[in-house]
Amino acid sequence: MAYAITQTCCNDATCVAVCPVNCIHPTPEERAFGSTEMLHIDPRACIDCGACADACPVDAVVPVDRLREGQKEYAALNAAYFEGRDPGTSVTGPNFHAWGRPRFERVLPPDFPRLRVAVVGTGPAGMYAAEDLLLHTDAEVTLVDRLPVAGGLVRYGVAPDHPATKGVGETFARFHHHPRVRMELGLEVGRDVTPEELAAHHDAVVYAVGASADRRTGVPGEDLPGSIAATTFVAWYNAHPEVAPDAVDLSAERVVVVGNGNVALDVARILVADPEALAGTDIADHALAALRRSRVREVVLLGRRGPEDAACTRSELLALTHLDGVRLVVDAHDPRVTDALDAARPQDKAAVLRGAERERVDWSRPPGAERRIVLRFRSAPVAALGGTAEGRAEETGGGVRALRVTGADGEAEIPAGMLLRAVGYRGVAVPGLPFDEASGTVPHEAGRVAGAPGTYVVGWIKRGPSGGIGANRTCAAETVGSLIADAAAGALPAPSGGAKAFHRLARRRSRHLVDARGLAAIQRAEEARGHRDGRPRVKLATVEELVATARGPRRLLPR
């Protein structure tokens, strides 16, 4: 029986590297790899060896005969990708290539002096870069993060009802205790140490700081009380220490989410989920308590384009059709929307919604008693309205009461007490580095920062906020390849200080410094708290809690 790749696919292509028959596509060598939403297994070529399932860091590979309800569509989805292709004809991939002289493009000579490399950021991009350095060179790696705990996007950006996706964090965690790794958590570059000081103690510095800001909608009233960025909401339910427990008010019956990408779907799903189903996850305690008191019964997902061009992945949209106790409705306000659903081919994203309930929603009526998500396509925000309906104060006085939007018959008002802006992330300028305001990225060439020898970027700050967790693997390989090439060419500046000197500097500058042993103490404490409540972990939600726990009684590092 063949295997199938399912919703949680992270696209890091670890499975491709271990497949003995090259039946997983697209591979990193194929043009489609950079744009595909997920990888696929050809059921005609799969030999059922299970190597891909063993290698997958997010448990996305499942035997077809063991697919659960809600996953069964993935058998057909995987097979559909290979329609019209002959099995076994592809010769691309790490295990299938033309014979020739061996090439060693990403290694240093055995007698090359050991490099010291700082990686700023401990999310997926930073950890893939660190992994590449540790596995392919003899480098010492200093992991730096402004928060006193590691994890980045995996810890604070993945929805709590996606535990398999969070599993990639375990793959990264094994490098936290690597003998050539030193951790300096709770240290912010640009605040506690300067970029120049960091560079002076390392041969090279790799910045993996992500894209932490949200993109603006640009409509009047978006700064009214009750209008918040989806990035804030995601951080809130993931116990990010920089977002207060009372930052989100769930007293409204209807919430409008502007955007229909994966993050928008995440926040919609969490808002209408059964809190008791979330009680077994690592969701923040304060978020779980707020969701239990929540009055939200309806979430409207607003998208400018039609269902055929929805920004989310097909797999996440498919998951939305299987939510227990939640009605999924497509607002049939525009005939182009229903036409697109009817015309969708089986392999099209819009086909996922062909069987969804369709209704021309009457926005003058309050939400019903049932929980539901309304998908409104071909509709853009015009203005967030505040004040009272009588006063119609649009930008002053009171919080959000409605969102004015476009539609097939002109503008409409959707009454809502909360507005979530989910139109994308944006990078923030890194102190001491050039920055492109238009793209929100650091200018670079194959990861090399322009005009800054020995300085590199990886992840969203390098390429913009595109691609999921696994896309950072190939991105990191390019950056580390540039770093290795520069080292071999003698192009890296010589550091003036060593690792111990940098650690002393970090201790003097930061009151919240946490090392690998402190991180292990945090992990033990969170897992112990979770064990008492039948949860995988209960996150510590403040900097003070994290640091105090890290500095408690020390034990040996996990083996």
Side-chain angles (χ1 to χ4, degrees):
M1 179 64 67
Y3 281 72
I5 297 177
T6 63
Q7 175 190 354
T8 55
C9 176
C10 72
N11 275 27
D12 86 341
T14 302
C15 54
V16 174
V18 299
C19 178
V21 294
N22 201 36
C23 72
I24 304 175
H25 296 271
T27 71
E29 294 78 17
E30 295 171 350
R31 183 184 297 273
F33 181 78
S35 58
T36 188
E37 294 180 350
M38 58 181 284
L39 305 183
H40 308 81
I41 295 176
D42 188 343
R44 302 165 301 176
C46 177
I47 60 172
D48 195 24
C49 68
C52 52
D54 292 338
C56 180
V58 293
D59 295 331
V61 187
V62 181
V64 168
D65 60 350
R66 296 184 190 173
L67 290 170
R68 302 188 308 274
E69 208 58 46
Q71 289 184 324
K72 295 187 183 299
E73 293 97 330
Y74 286 98
L77 196 154
N78 276 251
Y81 183 81
F82 298 94
E83 287 181 1
R85 304 186 188 194
D86 292 331
T89 57
S90 174
V91 294
T92 61
N95 297 322
F96 288 78
H97 49 77
W99 292 109
R101 293 178 61 84
R103 294 180 299 169
F104 303 97
E105 299 171 342
R106 302 179 68 251
V107 295
L108 292 170
D111 58 346
F112 199 88
R114 175 174 285 180
L115 296 173
R116 288 199 307 277
V117 180
V119 177
V120 183
T122 59
M127 292 311 301
Y128 275 123
E131 177 184 34
D132 204 332
L133 285 163
L134 293 166
L135 294 182
H136 295 100
T137 75
D138 194 34
E140 294 178 347
V141 176
T142 304
L143 292 175
V144 179
D145 201 296
R146 65 187 182 85
L147 293 176
V149 66
L153 182 69
V154 174
R155 180 179 173 94
Y156 292 121
V158 177
D161 59 349
H162 281 7
T165 304
K166 289 176 180 283
V168 72
E170 298 175 9
T171 301
F172 298 144
R174 64 196 175 109
F175 293 102
H176 294 164
H177 313 293
H178 192 285
R180 285 186 278 120
V181 168
R182 184 186 292 270
M183 305 198 80
E184 306 286 3
L185 308 177
L187 184 73
E188 184 171 345
V189 178
R191 181 194 66 187
D192 302 318
V193 296
T194 67
E196 293 77 15
E197 288 173 326
L198 182 63
H201 292 82
H202 297 87
D203 295 283
V205 180
V206 179
Y207 286 89
V209 294
S212 57
D214 64 290
R215 291 190 180 275
R216 309 278 291 174
T217 63
V219 303
E222 72 172 317
D223 290 322
L224 285 169
S227 172
I228 65 173
T231 52
T232 299
F233 187 72
V234 170
W236 173 76
Y237 64 58
N238 274 318
H240 196 293
E242 294 177 343
V243 178
D246 60 355
V248 175
D249 179 3
L250 299 181
S251 61
E253 295 181 345
R254 178 184 286 131
V255 176
V256 176
V257 180
V258 179
N260 57 21
N262 283 357
V263 173
L265 268 60
D266 281 347
V267 300
R269 206 175 54 247
I270 295 299
L271 280 166
V272 297
D274 179 358
E276 300 316 308
L278 295 174
T281 72
D282 68 349
I283 190 170
D285 274 350
H286 57 255
L288 183 59
L291 287 165
R292 282 173 167 155
R293 301 189 302 267
S294 172
R295 297 183 61 201
V296 176
R297 299 198 302 278
E298 181 176 281
V299 178
V300 182
L301 285 163
L302 198 69
R304 293 176 182 269
R305 297 181 291 181
E308 68 276 19
D309 295 314
C312 61
T313 59
R314 179 180 177 134
S315 58
E316 289 299 322
L317 191 60
L318 183 59
L320 213 61
T321 67
H322 293 289
L323 296 180
D324 290 336
V326 178
R327 284 179 59 205
L328 183 65
V329 176
V330 175
D331 185 0
H333 73 102
D334 190 324
R336 292 176 297 175
V337 173
T338 54
D339 289 347
L341 296 181
D342 292 336
R345 299 169 300 171
Q347 65 269 33
D348 294 338
K349 189 184 301 181
V352 172
L353 298 174
R354 186 180 290 152
E357 182 179 345
R358 305 177 192 181
E359 174 187 332
R360 191 176 179 90
V361 180
D362 181 358
W363 299 113
S364 66
R365 300 174 60 184
E370 78 280 11
R371 291 173 290 143
R372 76 172 188 170
I373 293 175
V374 179
L375 295 166
R376 182 177 169 92
F377 296 102
R378 295 195 175 276
S379 184
V382 175
L385 310 180
T388 62
E390 293 76 19
R392 304 183 71 81
E394 296 188 2
E395 294 185 77
T396 60
V400 170
R401 67 166 180 82
L403 184 68
R404 184 181 297 148
V405 301
T406 61
D409 299 326
E411 293 183 358
E413 282 188 19
I414 302 178
M418 182 179 180
L419 173 64
L420 280 169
R421 310 184 303 272
V423 292
Y425 291 78
R426 190 177 190 281
V428 177
V430 179
L433 300 188
F435 188 69
D436 183 345
E437 289 288 349
S439 64
T441 60
V442 171
H444 70 93
E445 182 180 341
R448 299 177 179 92
V449 175
T455 305
Y456 303 84
V457 285
V458 67
W460 283 2
I461 196 63
K462 171 186 172 184
R463 66 181 191 273
S466 63
I469 289 173
N472 292 295
R473 189 166 184 250
T474 51
C475 180
E478 179 187 56
T479 294
V480 172
S482 296
L483 191 160
I484 292 173
D486 292 347
L492 298 181
S496 57
K500 290 183 178 179
F502 182 72
H503 180 62
R504 289 194 296 268
L505 175 66
R507 289 185 62 182
R508 290 198 305 270
R509 299 286 182 80
S510 174
R511 298 182 298 107
H512 300 139
L513 203 65
V514 171
D515 60 11
R517 282 191 169 83
L519 180 62
I522 290 171
Q523 180 175 337
R524 286 193 300 269
E526 291 184 338
E527 290 177 349
R529 294 174 72 189
H531 181 72
R532 292 194 295 268
D533 299 334
R535 301 169 63 184
R537 69 172 63 231
V538 174
K539 292 178 185 172
L540 300 168
T542 68
V543 168
E544 291 72 23
E545 286 180 311
L546 289 163
V547 174
T549 301
R551 294 179 180 175
R554 294 299 181 93
R555 299 180 185 176
L556 293 176
L557 290 172
R559 296 191 179 188

